[in-house]
Amino acid sequence: MDSALTLRMAVDRGDVISPEQALSLLNRSALVQTLTQSLVDKPLFYVWRLIALSELPFARQLPYTQALIDRVYDRLATPFGFSLSGDRSQFLPCYNAMIITALCRLGEANTDAVRQGVEWIITHQPMKRGVPVSAPGFRFDRFGGCFNDSPCYIGLAKSVFALLHYQRATGDASVQEKLNEGTEYLLNHHLIYRLSTPTPITNHILDLSFPESYHLNAVELIRFVALANRMHDSRTEPLKQALLTKKNNDHGWYCNFRYRGDGYVPFDQGRKSGAWVTYVIQQALASSLVNDGSASHAH
């Protein structure tokens, strides 16, 4: 097992880990060595490396991560959120949201740049169908329609994830209404289905891969449900059952999709059960065995 996953498990268990112990485990990690061997000056490289490092406890203390965060603020932050071009021309709600989520995991939730990205979600991101979006100067029509009559499911879901991580990091109650609205939208889709028929809402939504990419998938969704304390909601059952049917004979899961992009590094390799993806799914599913006191939704 990679020492970065050993650290992740120890932190999740609540073990007391000193910064020195954590850095020792990170510095011995083959995964960390791969993630920090180069810093390429490309926006998508920044995004995927930032997301990957945000999955590792104490990664904020690595000099590479500090340099990467500085680069993200310098090149991608704007007064209205995070943009691949650093201006309106390549601002995409899904990437704004993914960057916010990663920065919140890395302890950056209280920065002005993160707050500005959150404000964009609160002000402009529709969390239901039929909501017109007025954002002069933005050309969302160039990217396949972020805001048609039905908002892009990927952008909406990742914006909901961003609000949840931001709220967990800051305790800011001002995002609660928008977060609740978006959570209900996802649950009304049973997380993975079209409203009109029980078929997958996107081509990759039932794929298993880790860490996240542009393609919203089942691993992200089950972890969101667990973090949001909604595992007892009956509308999560299709996702849970889909994951159980994908379990291998050794009771683990393997990644069946490999995203390819500048800077993206899959945490698991091969067609055997992946240690990372199995751990993340198991952790989420285990939370449904704990009575968190939340009421299930009868349908």
Side-chain angles (χ1 to χ4, degrees):
M1 180 185 296
D2 189 272
S3 57
L5 181 53
T6 300
L7 174 61
R8 170 74 179 267
M9 290 177 169
V11 170
D12 288 348
R13 285 194 305 267
D15 294 357
V16 177
I17 306 288
S18 70
E20 293 76 19
Q21 290 172 313
L23 285 174
S24 175
L25 287 167
L26 290 175
N27 287 328
R28 297 205 310 267
S29 164
L31 173 63
V32 170
Q33 290 177 17
T34 298
L35 290 172
T36 60
Q37 66 184 0
S38 64
L39 181 52
V40 178
D41 189 19
K42 292 184 178 180
L44 287 174
F45 186 98
Y46 303 153
V47 173
W48 304 133
R49 287 296 163 93
L50 188 77
I51 289 171
L53 289 163
S54 76
E55 297 289 354
L56 310 180
F58 292 89
R60 181 67 178 84
Q61 308 307 315
L62 296 171
Y64 180 95
T65 309
Q66 296 170 23
L68 176 61
I69 291 172
D70 289 343
R71 195 76 64 89
V72 167
Y73 286 144
D74 182 57
R75 306 291 176 83
L76 308 185
T78 75
F80 47 82
F82 295 96
S83 166
L84 295 178
S85 58
D87 58 24
R88 284 177 169 82
S89 65
Q90 292 187 46
F91 178 86
L92 287 162
C94 48
Y95 283 94
N96 176 56
M98 287 188 289
I99 293 169
I100 290 169
T101 294
L103 288 171
C104 287
R105 290 190 188 124
L106 288 165
E108 297 286 304
N110 288 306
T111 62
D112 289 341
V114 168
R115 181 63 202 179
Q116 286 162 346
V118 169
E119 284 291 343
W120 199 96
I121 294 173
I122 294 172
T123 303
H124 296 292
Q125 175 64 48
M127 295 297 184
K128 59 184 177 182
R129 300 179 64 177
V131 177
V133 174
S134 177
F138 293 89
R139 289 291 309 279
F140 299 116
D141 57 304
R142 296 190 304 140
F143 304 107
C146 303
F147 304 126
N148 294 323
D149 183 60
S150 294
C152 169
Y153 195 74
I154 294 172
L156 186 152
K158 289 183 181 288
S159 294
V160 174
F161 303 164
L163 292 181
L164 178 63
H165 281 89
Y166 175 77
Q167 186 192 59
R168 285 168 59 88
T170 65
D172 187 347
S174 69
V175 304
Q176 189 65 56
E177 182 178 356
K178 196 86 171 186
L179 175 57
N180 289 345
E181 187 179 20
T183 300
E184 280 300 300
Y185 187 89
L186 298 179
L187 288 169
N188 284 336
H189 282 265
H190 294 88
L191 299 161
I192 56 175
Y193 290 151
R194 300 180 183 278
L195 281 181
S196 56
T197 176
T199 56
I201 193 167
T202 71
N203 291 335
H204 291 284
I205 202 157
L206 291 177
D207 288 341
L208 305 182
S209 64
F210 189 81
E212 72 177 281
S213 70
Y214 162 76
H215 298 292
L216 178 68
N217 69 41
V219 183
E220 292 175 77
L221 287 163
I222 197 66
R223 183 162 67 167
F224 162 73
V225 172
L227 287 174
N229 268 342
R230 302 301 292 269
M231 288 292 282
H232 295 286
D233 191 304
S234 64
R235 294 169 291 179
T236 67
E237 287 304 316
L239 174 60
K240 287 187 276 191
Q241 290 305 312
L243 286 168
L244 291 175
T245 63
K246 291 176 179 287
K247 186 183 288 190
N248 297 338
N249 292 334
D250 61 2
H251 305 293
W253 287 264
Y254 74 88
C255 293
N256 60 3
F257 176 72
R258 294 286 185 272
Y259 181 77
R260 298 185 184 279
D262 290 328
Y264 185 86
V265 175
F267 281 19
D268 295 308
Q269 304 284 348
R271 293 186 63 83
K272 62 181 181 179
S273 291
W276 280 94
V277 73
T278 295
Y279 175 69
V280 172
I281 294 172
Q282 285 178 338
Q283 283 287 95
L285 292 176
S287 71
S288 67
L289 304 177
V290 179
N291 183 3
D292 61 20
S294 60
S296 64
H297 195 289
H299 269 270

